[in-house]
Structures are given as structure tokens and as C-alpha cells.
Amino acid sequence: MVGAGPAGIYAADALTRQDAVPVAVDLIDRLPTPFGLVRHGIAPDHPKMRAIRDTLHRSLDDPLVRFVGNVDVGTDISLDELRRHVDAVIYTYGASVDRQLGIEGEELPGSLAATDLVAWYTGHPDADRERVEAALAGVRSAVVIGVGNVALDVGRVLARTAPELEPTDMPQHVLDVLAAMPVEEVTILGRRGPAQAAFTTQELRELDGLEGATVLVDAADLVLDPEAEERASTDRNVSRNLAVMRGWVDHVPTPGRTQLRLRFFGRPVRLLGEDRVTGVEVERTAVDGDGRVMGTGELSVIPADLVVRSVGYRGLPLPGLPVDERSGTVPNEDGRVLREGRVSPGEYAAGWIKRGPSGVVGTNKHDARETVARLLADAADGTLRTHGPVDDLVDELVRRGARPVLLDDWRAIDAAEIALGATRGRARTTLHERESLLAAVRAAAAG
Ligand code: NAP
């Protein structure tokens, strides 16, 4: 597997739980840590959801599975060389980069992608600390563009009080920066209406339980046209979302509390500001019968000193692996990778790089099983040819100068994070810098 997030781990699990074909699995990750978006995506104030890592960990403990972290396929070893060492590769490296809005001002300081902010607050080693922390300094009003679950995560984290975030596993410097932000207003902006919002009801409902924020929604935004009514009557998520939001229309701003505002029918036209963002120019929209967004020409400005675009993720190509520009996924047929339209024997994909950024963590289980079923079928009919004994992959990586992090090394990182958390009465504190992660490995090795 290339990628030790949920998709890779579920695929490893599906392979080791069958006995038709004997297997050994290497779970490669470019980070020294496993779990992908479970570690660096799920919001730190969702500890129950993050606890899924305990289940995933059991699969790493399987003797047929080997975690091989801190290895960048494409740099430490090329895809061709990797493929010479194994019989099959499953690409499970996800969709890690942001989508852009393509509007003026998007590159101004104070404008961030949700992927940047989430990477930073979950302690991803590649997060651009300097840029994110400069964007957050002194922020009073923020606009989050997009109405998916990631937008709710970002809006919620920005609106939380310091005591609410204190018990999480966020790195200490992240907690300090968030605690110092004098946030007064967060607007989550949808370009279409409430009936077309992508967020789910459980996540929406949570916005009303924050200690220091009042959730606000304009009653006028909740008036539905007949098509939206129809959608609400046939889609339970939509009808529940609407019921939750209708329960909030009487909320009024309370002095001293952050206003967490949901606003619909507004599409960002450009970000305003010279040296940094000062606001978002928004065009009022209408939604046609097919759910398509149409501009009305009516412009307004939402003042903001931080703008976070949360409009989806996309996958990047690995050197030597095609990725469809538009969908950001590896071309595939039910998990069998296609090169120039034809199945490429021995190459598979699972998770977000296979189907795009959708669903919850558990969705990847079914998805990975589908891919593994294809792999096993190919092994059974001879499409997938095994090439006999080769040099051990980890030995080869070490020969090439890579520093693979194996399961015991990861355990040392895990223990160091738990110990660091304990110094402040927390279950864990994430080590942010790659160097700190590797130092924990070295310290354990030195005894
Ligand atoms: P998402 O659910 O696809 O939402 C993307 C949002 O961006 C949509 O509201 C979309 O609006 C909007 N958007 C796209 N292009 C835009 C543009 N140019 N201008 C303005 N708005 C634009 O993506 P996501 O929030 O990144 O989440 C990814 C996946 O992870 C989802 O399946 C999500 O449910 C899952 N997730 C789950 C949880 C959880 O369970 N707690 C937490 C986080 C993420 P349109 O619909 O109009 O395109």
C-alpha cells in the first residue's frame, strides 16, 4: 500500500483476513506516523471519532503487515523500482491538496485553504506554520467558504474557547495561537441554499453546543422554492438539516460571545485587501431547478481578516502515476488502475485517490474490500503475476539512504506523544515537527 491512512489499513486488513492467497503487506507512508486523515484530518475536538485509530492500530499489529513510514515513493524509491520489489501495489495515499476558487485575491496573506489550517491544527509535519500563524494573528472576523463538514470543522474550531480546546491533542503552540485570537465573528458561506448544503446533521447540530459562541442563521435563507422543498421531502439529511437550522432563527447575537453565522446564496467574487485580506466580495445567487447556481449581480461585502476556503480536496499524481486533472483521482475501474484507458496489471487504488474525497472513514472499508476483491480475482486467474523472491524492501530503502520508520519506531513516537500530553494532564499531545518525531525514534533506539 502506498499510504497508511484508513484506506491503506482497511485494504491491508482485507488482504490478511483471507486465506486464498498468502500475503505479506508493506504499508508505506511518507510520514513517520500512520493513520492519514484520522490523525491529520478528523478535528481534534472530535475525540470519539479520532478513537478509530485504536481499531486501525490492531491491523498494524498483524504480523503479516509491516508499517514502513518516512518513505516518499517517488523520492526515496521510484514507482518502477517499488513495483519490482512487490507483486502488487495499492495506491491509498488519498487526496491531500486543496481546491482553489480561482478568484482575485486568493493568494493574499490572510487567505488560507482549509487543508493548510487543518494540517496546522492537527500537527502535520508539512504544515506551513509561519504562514498559517501569520494569517491567524489578531483575527477578529473570519469567513469560511463552503458548507461541507470540513467547513463546519474549521468554523467550529475557530469559534471554540481556549478551555474547550485545552484537552485536545493539538500541539501546544497551536493551542496558544488559537487562544490568542480575539475571534468575534465566523461566517460559514454557502454558494447555494440550505437544501444543497453538503454537511451532515450530526455535525451541524454540534454548532449549537459551543461554550462561547452563538449560532445564527437568517430566516430568509431558509425559505425554500418548490424544487428545494421537493429535495427536502425526499432526502432525510436535508430535511433534518433544515429542521435544525429553523430551530436557530430566533437566536440573536449575545454581547461577549462569538457569532457563528451560517449564510447561504452567496458566492465569493473576489477577496479584498492590499497587504492582507480585509473582506470577501460576495454575489447573491439563486439556485435553478437542477440545483445549479446562478449569479444575480447583487454584490455585498463581508468584512473579514481571515478567509478559509473549504471547497474540497484533490489528489496529486505520484511521479509515474497518472491522475485525472479534473477529478483528482487515479483513473481506475472498480479499483483496477487504468493506464491510457487499459487495466495495468498489478496496480490498484482504494480510498479518496480512487473515488474522490467523499464519505466518512468507514466508507473506505467497503471501498478497500472492493479493490482487494479485484486483486484476489486477478491473482486467481493469473492476470496478476507474482515474480518470486526479491530483496527485502526495507533493506533496499536503507541501502538507498532512506530512514524507514517501522512499527516499533512508531510505538516510540506514540509513547513520546502520550508522555508529552501527560505533562499537562492530556491523553496525548501531537508532536508537530518531523524532526521531533524522528528524535523520539532515536531516543527510544538509544535506550
Ligand atoms: P464537501 O462535502 O464536498 O463540501 C465542499 C463544499 O464546498 C460544498 O459546500 C461546495 O458547494 C463548496 N464549494 C465547492 N466549490 C466551491 C466554490 N467554487 N465556491 C464556493 N463553494 C464551493 O467537501 P469537504 O467539506 O472537504 O469534505 C470532504 C469529505 O469529508 C466529505 O465526504 C465530508 O462529509 C467528509 N468529512 C466528514 C466529517 C465528519 O463526518 N465529521 C468531517 C470532515 C469531513 P457546492 O455543493 O455548491 O459545490
Side-chain angles (χ1 to χ4, degrees):
M1 317 304 158
V2 179
I9 294 179
Y10 287 134
D13 208 43
L15 271 172
T16 53
R17 276 170 192 263
Q18 54 78 42
D19 45 22
V21 181
V23 291
V25 177
D26 281 332
L27 259 170
I28 303 174
D29 205 290
R30 84 192 165 81
L31 294 186
T33 53
F35 308 134
L37 282 185
V38 168
R39 183 177 162 96
H40 293 301
I42 296 181
D45 65 335
H46 278 164
K48 281 197 188 134
M49 256 186 241
R50 285 172 79 80
I52 199 166
R53 62 193 286 159
D54 299 337
T55 318
L56 297 178
H57 211 298
R58 285 200 278 281
S59 305
L60 294 188
D61 292 333
D62 187 320
L64 295 174
V65 175
R66 181 168 61 169
F67 172 63
V68 187
N70 203 33
V71 170
D72 193 11
V73 173
T75 308
D76 293 317
I77 187 165
S78 74
L79 201 51
D80 278 349
E81 288 155 341
L82 174 65
R83 293 193 61 204
R84 278 200 285 278
H85 277 267
V86 295
D87 296 318
V89 179
I90 309 186
Y91 304 108
T92 51
Y93 65 89
S96 58
V97 295
D98 63 289
R99 289 192 177 275
Q100 299 222 320
L101 294 166
I103 60 174
E104 192 185 321
E106 205 169 358
E107 305 306 328
L108 279 171
S111 160
L112 293 176
T115 46
D116 297 332
L117 187 58
V118 172
W120 173 78
Y121 69 55
T122 59
H124 192 295
D126 297 343
D128 187 342
R129 273 185 65 176
E130 209 177 312
R131 197 167 72 87
V132 173
E133 289 172 21
L136 299 185
V139 164
R140 291 184 185 278
S141 54
V143 171
V144 184
I145 295 170
V147 281
N149 281 330
V150 172
L152 297 193
D153 281 348
V154 166
R156 196 182 64 247
V157 166
L158 291 174
R160 287 253 192 225
T161 60
E164 282 178 294
L165 296 175
E166 175 66 24
T168 68
D169 62 12
M170 289 177 175
Q172 187 59 45
H173 63 89
V174 169
L175 291 170
D176 293 343
V177 169
L178 291 174
M181 287 170 69
V183 177
E184 291 163 3
E185 187 162 357
V186 178
T187 302
I188 302 176
L189 180 68
R191 62 176 168 178
R192 298 190 289 157
Q196 288 86 24
F199 47 63
T200 42
T201 312
Q202 194 184 340
E203 283 62 34
L204 176 66
R205 205 175 271 135
E206 211 183 335
L207 298 185
D208 196 25
L210 307 191
E211 259 169 31
T214 303
V215 61
L216 302 166
V217 58
D218 188 345
D221 273 357
L222 303 182
V223 176
L224 302 188
D225 61 29
E227 283 82 11
E229 284 286 4
E230 164 72 16
R231 193 168 154 75
S233 67
T234 54
D235 185 324
R236 271 163 69 91
N237 188 56
V238 172
S239 59
R240 286 178 179 166
N241 283 349
L242 285 162
V244 168
M245 288 186 275
R246 284 182 176 136
W248 296 342
V249 293
D250 295 333
H251 287 190
V252 287
T254 317
R257 289 174 68 78
T258 300
Q259 299 178 29
L260 179 51
R261 199 175 282 282
L262 282 166
R263 190 171 151 174
F264 296 95
F265 300 109
R267 105 171 142 198
V269 179
R270 64 188 168 120
L271 305 192
L272 307 172
E274 300 210 337
D275 306 328
R276 68 166 288 149
V277 163
T278 57
V280 187
E281 187 172 62
V282 174
E283 181 184 19
R284 176 96 190 150
T285 63
V287 174
D288 75 9
D290 297 321
R292 279 191 300 254
V293 67
M294 302 176 299
T296 63
E298 186 188 325
L299 299 176
S300 61
V301 171
I302 310 177
D305 28 34
L306 171 71
V307 175
V308 184
R309 60 178 181 279
S310 179
V311 296
Y313 287 63
R314 78 194 150 83
L316 283 180
L318 279 183
L321 182 71
V323 157
D324 181 86
E325 271 286 314
R326 198 181 41 83
S327 66
T329 57
V330 172
N332 73 92
E333 213 171 71
D334 303 332
R336 290 184 174 109
V337 169
L338 303 175
R339 285 184 185 265
E340 284 156 17
R342 300 167 67 133
V343 168
S344 168
E347 288 190 292
Y348 304 86
W352 277 10
I353 198 64
K354 169 187 174 187
R355 69 172 196 281
S358 65
V360 294
V361 173
T363 314
N364 295 299
K365 198 175 215 170
H366 171 78
D367 182 302
R369 281 191 191 139
E370 178 190 65
T371 295
V372 166
R374 300 297 181 276
L375 185 157
L376 294 172
D378 292 349
D381 72 12
T383 314
L384 174 61
R385 277 192 285 274
T386 58
H387 48 48
V390 286
D391 290 347
D392 180 73
L393 177 64
V394 168
D395 293 345
E396 175 65 23
L397 285 163
V398 171
R399 251 198 310 276
R400 290 166 177 271
R403 288 185 293 170
V405 164
L406 304 185
L407 186 61
D408 279 346
D409 304 326
W410 153 243
R411 284 193 212 285
I413 295 172
D414 198 30
E417 291 190 334
I418 291 170
L420 181 61
T423 61
R424 301 240 188 177
R426 302 179 191 130
R428 167 190 304 273
T429 291
T430 304
L431 291 171
H432 203 161
E433 310 295 343
R434 190 178 282 263
E435 213 16 72
S436 323
L437 296 163
L438 298 177
V441 173
R442 283 196 300 272

Coordinates of all heavy atoms in Angstrom, one line a residue, residues 1 7-8 10-12 14-15 88-92 332-337 346-355 363-379 384:
M1 N 0.9 -1.2 0.0 CA 0.0 0.0 0.0 C 0.9 1.2 0.0 O 1.8 1.3 0.8 CB -0.9 0.1 1.3 CG -1.5 -1.2 1.7 SD -2.5 -1.9 0.5 CE -2.5 -3.6 1.0
A7 N -7.7 4.0 4.3 CA -7.9 3.1 3.0 C -6.8 2.1 3.0 O -7.1 0.9 2.7 CB -7.9 4.0 1.8
G8 N -5.6 2.5 3.3 CA -4.4 1.5 3.2 C -4.6 0.4 4.3 O -4.4 -0.7 4.0
Y10 N -7.4 -0.5 5.8 CA -8.5 -1.4 5.6 C -8.2 -2.4 4.4 O -8.6 -3.5 4.4 CB -9.8 -0.6 5.2 CG -10.4 0.1 6.3 CD1 -10.8 1.4 6.2 CD2 -10.6 -0.5 7.6 CE1 -11.4 2.1 7.3 CE2 -11.2 0.1 8.6 CZ -11.6 1.4 8.5 OH -12.2 2.1 9.6
A11 N -7.4 -1.9 3.4 CA -7.0 -2.8 2.4 C -6.1 -3.9 2.9 O -6.2 -5.1 2.5 CB -6.3 -2.0 1.2
A12 N -5.1 -3.5 3.8 CA -4.2 -4.5 4.4 C -5.0 -5.5 5.1 O -4.8 -6.7 5.1 CB -3.2 -3.8 5.3
A14 N -8.2 -6.4 4.7 CA -8.9 -7.2 3.8 C -8.0 -8.3 3.2 O -8.4 -9.5 3.0 CB -9.6 -6.4 2.7
L15 N -6.8 -8.0 2.9 CA -5.8 -8.9 2.3 C -5.4 -10.0 3.3 O -5.2 -11.2 3.0 CB -4.6 -8.2 1.8 CG -4.6 -7.7 0.4 CD1 -3.4 -6.8 0.1 CD2 -4.7 -8.9 -0.6
A88 N 2.2 -6.6 -6.2 CA 1.1 -5.7 -6.4 C 1.2 -4.4 -5.6 O 1.7 -4.5 -4.5 CB -0.3 -6.3 -6.2
V89 N 0.8 -3.3 -6.1 CA 0.8 -2.0 -5.4 C -0.7 -1.6 -5.3 O -1.4 -1.6 -6.3 CB 1.6 -0.9 -6.1 CG1 1.6 0.4 -5.3 CG2 3.0 -1.4 -6.2
I90 N -1.1 -1.1 -4.1 CA -2.4 -0.5 -4.0 C -2.2 1.0 -3.6 O -1.5 1.2 -2.5 CB -3.4 -1.2 -3.0 CG1 -3.5 -2.7 -3.2 CG2 -4.7 -0.5 -3.0 CD1 -4.5 -3.4 -2.4
Y91 N -2.6 1.9 -4.4 CA -2.4 3.3 -4.1 C -3.5 3.7 -3.1 O -4.7 3.6 -3.5 CB -2.4 4.2 -5.4 CG -1.4 3.7 -6.3 CD1 -1.8 3.0 -7.5 CD2 0.0 3.9 -6.1 CE1 -0.8 2.5 -8.4 CE2 0.9 3.4 -6.9 CZ 0.5 2.7 -8.1 OH 1.5 2.2 -9.0
T92 N -3.1 4.1 -2.0 CA -4.1 4.5 -0.9 C -3.7 5.8 -0.3 O -3.8 6.0 0.9 CB -4.2 3.4 0.1 OG1 -2.9 3.1 0.6 CG2 -4.9 2.1 -0.4
N332 N -9.3 4.5 -12.7 CA -9.5 3.1 -12.3 C -10.8 2.6 -12.6 O -11.8 3.4 -12.8 CB -9.2 3.0 -10.8 CG -10.3 3.5 -9.9 OD1 -11.2 2.8 -9.5 ND2 -10.3 4.9 -9.7
E333 N -10.9 1.3 -12.6 CA -12.2 0.6 -12.9 C -12.4 -0.3 -11.6 O -11.7 -1.3 -11.5 CB -12.0 -0.3 -14.1 CG -13.3 -0.4 -14.9 CD -12.9 -1.1 -16.3 OE1 -12.6 -2.3 -16.2 OE2 -12.9 -0.4 -17.3
D334 N -13.3 0.1 -10.8 CA -13.5 -0.6 -9.5 C -12.3 -0.9 -8.7 O -12.1 -1.9 -8.1 CB -14.3 -1.9 -9.8 CG -15.6 -1.7 -10.5 OD1 -16.1 -0.6 -10.4 OD2 -16.0 -2.6 -11.3
G335 N -11.3 0.0 -8.9 CA -10.0 -0.2 -8.1 C -8.9 -0.7 -8.9 O -7.7 -0.6 -8.5
R336 N -9.1 -1.2 -10.1 CA -8.0 -1.6 -11.0 C -7.5 -0.3 -11.7 O -8.3 0.3 -12.4 CB -8.4 -2.6 -12.1 CG -8.8 -4.0 -11.5 CD -9.1 -5.0 -12.6 NE -9.3 -6.3 -12.2 CZ -10.4 -6.9 -12.1 NH1 -11.5 -6.3 -12.5 NH2 -10.5 -8.2 -11.7
V337 N -6.2 0.0 -11.6 CA -5.7 1.2 -12.2 C -5.7 1.1 -13.7 O -5.3 0.0 -14.3 CB -4.3 1.5 -11.7 CG1 -3.6 2.6 -12.4 CG2 -4.4 1.9 -10.2
G346 N -1.5 -5.5 -11.7 CA -0.6 -5.3 -10.5 C -0.7 -3.9 -9.9 O -0.1 -3.7 -8.9
E347 N -1.6 -3.1 -10.4 CA -1.7 -1.7 -9.8 C -3.2 -1.5 -9.5 O -4.1 -1.7 -10.3 CB -1.3 -0.6 -10.8 CG 0.2 -0.5 -11.0 CD 0.5 0.7 -11.8 OE1 0.1 0.8 -13.0 OE2 1.1 1.6 -11.2
Y348 N -3.4 -1.1 -8.2 CA -4.8 -0.9 -7.8 C -4.9 0.4 -7.0 O -3.9 1.0 -6.6 CB -5.2 -2.1 -6.8 CG -5.0 -3.4 -7.5 CD1 -3.8 -4.1 -7.5 CD2 -6.1 -3.9 -8.2 CE1 -3.7 -5.2 -8.2 CE2 -6.0 -5.1 -8.9 CZ -4.7 -5.8 -8.9 OH -4.6 -7.0 -9.6
A349 N -6.1 0.8 -6.7 CA -6.3 2.1 -5.9 C -7.5 1.9 -5.0 O -8.4 1.1 -5.3 CB -6.6 3.3 -6.9
A350 N -7.4 2.5 -3.8 CA -8.5 2.5 -2.9 C -8.6 3.8 -2.1 O -7.6 4.5 -2.0 CB -8.4 1.3 -1.9
G351 N -9.8 4.1 -1.6 CA -9.9 5.3 -0.8 C -10.1 6.6 -1.7 O -10.6 6.5 -2.8
W352 N -9.8 7.7 -1.1 CA -10.0 9.0 -1.8 C -9.3 9.1 -3.2 O -9.8 9.8 -4.1 CB -9.7 10.2 -0.9 CG -10.7 10.5 0.1 CD1 -11.9 9.8 0.3 CD2 -10.8 11.7 0.9 NE1 -12.6 10.5 1.3 CE2 -12.0 11.6 1.6 CE3 -10.0 12.8 1.0 CZ2 -12.4 12.6 2.5 CZ3 -10.4 13.8 1.9 CH2 -11.6 13.7 2.7
I353 N -8.1 8.5 -3.3 CA -7.4 8.6 -4.6 C -8.1 7.8 -5.6 O -8.0 8.0 -6.8 CB -5.9 8.3 -4.5 CG1 -5.1 8.8 -5.6 CG2 -5.7 6.8 -4.3 CD1 -5.1 10.3 -5.8
K354 N -9.0 6.8 -5.2 CA -9.7 6.0 -6.1 C -11.1 6.7 -6.5 O -11.4 6.8 -7.6 CB -10.0 4.7 -5.5 CG -11.0 3.8 -6.2 CD -11.3 2.6 -5.3 CE -12.4 1.7 -5.9 NZ -12.8 0.6 -4.9
R355 N -11.8 7.2 -5.5 CA -13.2 7.6 -5.7 C -13.4 9.1 -5.5 O -14.5 9.6 -5.8 CB -14.2 6.8 -4.9 CG -14.1 7.1 -3.4 CD -15.2 6.5 -2.6 NE -15.2 7.1 -1.3 CZ -14.4 6.8 -0.2 NH1 -13.5 5.9 -0.4 NH2 -14.5 7.5 0.9
T363 N -16.4 4.5 5.2 CA -16.7 4.3 3.7 C -15.5 3.6 3.1 O -15.7 2.9 2.1 CB -17.0 5.7 3.0 OG1 -17.9 6.4 3.9 CG2 -17.6 5.5 1.7
N364 N -14.4 3.9 3.6 CA -13.1 3.3 2.9 C -13.0 1.8 3.2 O -12.3 1.1 2.5 CB -11.9 4.0 3.5 CG -11.9 5.5 3.1 OD1 -11.9 5.8 1.9 ND2 -12.0 6.3 4.1
K365 N -13.8 1.3 4.1 CA -13.7 -0.2 4.4 C -14.3 -0.9 3.2 O -13.6 -1.8 2.6 CB -14.4 -0.5 5.7 CG -14.1 -1.8 6.3 CD -14.8 -1.9 7.6 CE -14.0 -2.6 8.6 NZ -14.5 -2.6 9.9
H366 N -15.5 -0.5 2.9 CA -16.2 -1.2 1.7 C -15.4 -1.0 0.5 O -15.2 -1.9 -0.3 CB -17.6 -0.6 1.6 CG -18.3 -1.0 0.4 ND1 -18.9 -2.3 0.3 CD2 -18.4 -0.4 -0.8 CE1 -19.4 -2.4 -0.9 NE2 -19.1 -1.3 -1.6
D367 N -14.9 0.3 0.3 CA -14.1 0.7 -0.9 C -12.9 -0.2 -1.0 O -12.5 -0.7 -2.1 CB -13.8 2.1 -0.7 CG -13.1 2.7 -1.9 OD1 -12.0 2.2 -2.2 OD2 -13.6 3.7 -2.5
A368 N -12.2 -0.4 0.1 CA -10.9 -1.2 0.1 C -11.2 -2.6 -0.2 O -10.5 -3.3 -0.9 CB -10.2 -1.0 1.4
R369 N -12.3 -3.1 0.4 CA -12.7 -4.5 0.1 C -13.0 -4.8 -1.4 O -12.6 -5.8 -1.9 CB -13.9 -4.9 0.9 CG -13.6 -5.2 2.4 CD -14.8 -5.8 3.0 NE -14.7 -5.8 4.4 CZ -15.6 -5.6 5.3 NH1 -16.8 -5.2 4.9 NH2 -15.4 -5.6 6.6
E370 N -13.6 -3.8 -2.0 CA -13.9 -3.9 -3.4 C -12.6 -4.1 -4.2 O -12.4 -4.9 -5.1 CB -14.7 -2.7 -3.9 CG -15.0 -2.8 -5.4 CD -15.6 -1.5 -6.0 OE1 -14.8 -0.5 -6.0 OE2 -16.7 -1.5 -6.4
T371 N -11.6 -3.2 -3.9 CA -10.4 -3.2 -4.6 C -9.6 -4.6 -4.3 O -9.1 -5.2 -5.3 CB -9.5 -2.0 -4.1 OG1 -10.1 -0.8 -4.5 CG2 -8.1 -2.1 -4.7
V372 N -9.6 -5.0 -3.1 CA -8.9 -6.2 -2.8 C -9.6 -7.4 -3.4 O -8.9 -8.3 -3.9 CB -8.8 -6.4 -1.2 CG1 -8.4 -7.8 -0.8 CG2 -7.8 -5.3 -0.7
A373 N -10.9 -7.4 -3.6 CA -11.6 -8.5 -4.3 C -11.1 -8.6 -5.7 O -10.9 -9.7 -6.3 CB -13.1 -8.3 -4.2
R374 N -10.9 -7.4 -6.3 CA -10.3 -7.4 -7.7 C -8.9 -8.0 -7.8 O -8.6 -8.7 -8.6 CB -10.3 -6.0 -8.3 CG -11.7 -5.3 -8.4 CD -12.6 -6.1 -9.3 NE -13.9 -5.5 -9.4 CZ -14.9 -5.6 -8.5 NH1 -14.8 -6.4 -7.5 NH2 -16.1 -5.0 -8.7
L375 N -8.1 -7.6 -6.8 CA -6.7 -8.0 -6.7 C -6.7 -9.6 -6.6 O -6.0 -10.3 -7.3 CB -6.0 -7.4 -5.6 CG -4.5 -7.6 -5.4 CD1 -3.9 -6.5 -4.6 CD2 -4.2 -8.9 -4.7
L376 N -7.6 -10.1 -5.7 CA -7.6 -11.5 -5.5 C -8.1 -12.3 -6.7 O -7.6 -13.3 -7.1 CB -8.4 -11.9 -4.3 CG -7.9 -11.3 -2.9 CD1 -8.9 -11.5 -1.8 CD2 -6.6 -12.0 -2.6
A377 N -9.1 -11.7 -7.4 CA -9.6 -12.3 -8.6 C -8.5 -12.3 -9.7 O -8.3 -13.3 -10.4 CB -10.8 -11.5 -9.1
D378 N -7.7 -11.2 -9.7 CA -6.6 -11.2 -10.7 C -5.5 -12.2 -10.4 O -4.9 -12.8 -11.2 CB -6.0 -9.8 -10.8 CG -6.9 -8.8 -11.4 OD1 -8.0 -9.2 -11.9 OD2 -6.6 -7.6 -11.3
A379 N -5.3 -12.4 -9.0 CA -4.3 -13.4 -8.6 C -4.8 -14.8 -9.0 O -4.0 -15.7 -9.4 CB -4.1 -13.3 -7.1
L384 N -2.6 -11.3 -12.4 CA -1.6 -10.7 -11.5 C -0.5 -11.8 -11.4 O -0.7 -12.8 -10.7 CB -2.2 -10.4 -10.1 CG -1.3 -9.9 -9.0 CD1 -0.6 -8.7 -9.4 CD2 -2.0 -9.7 -7.8

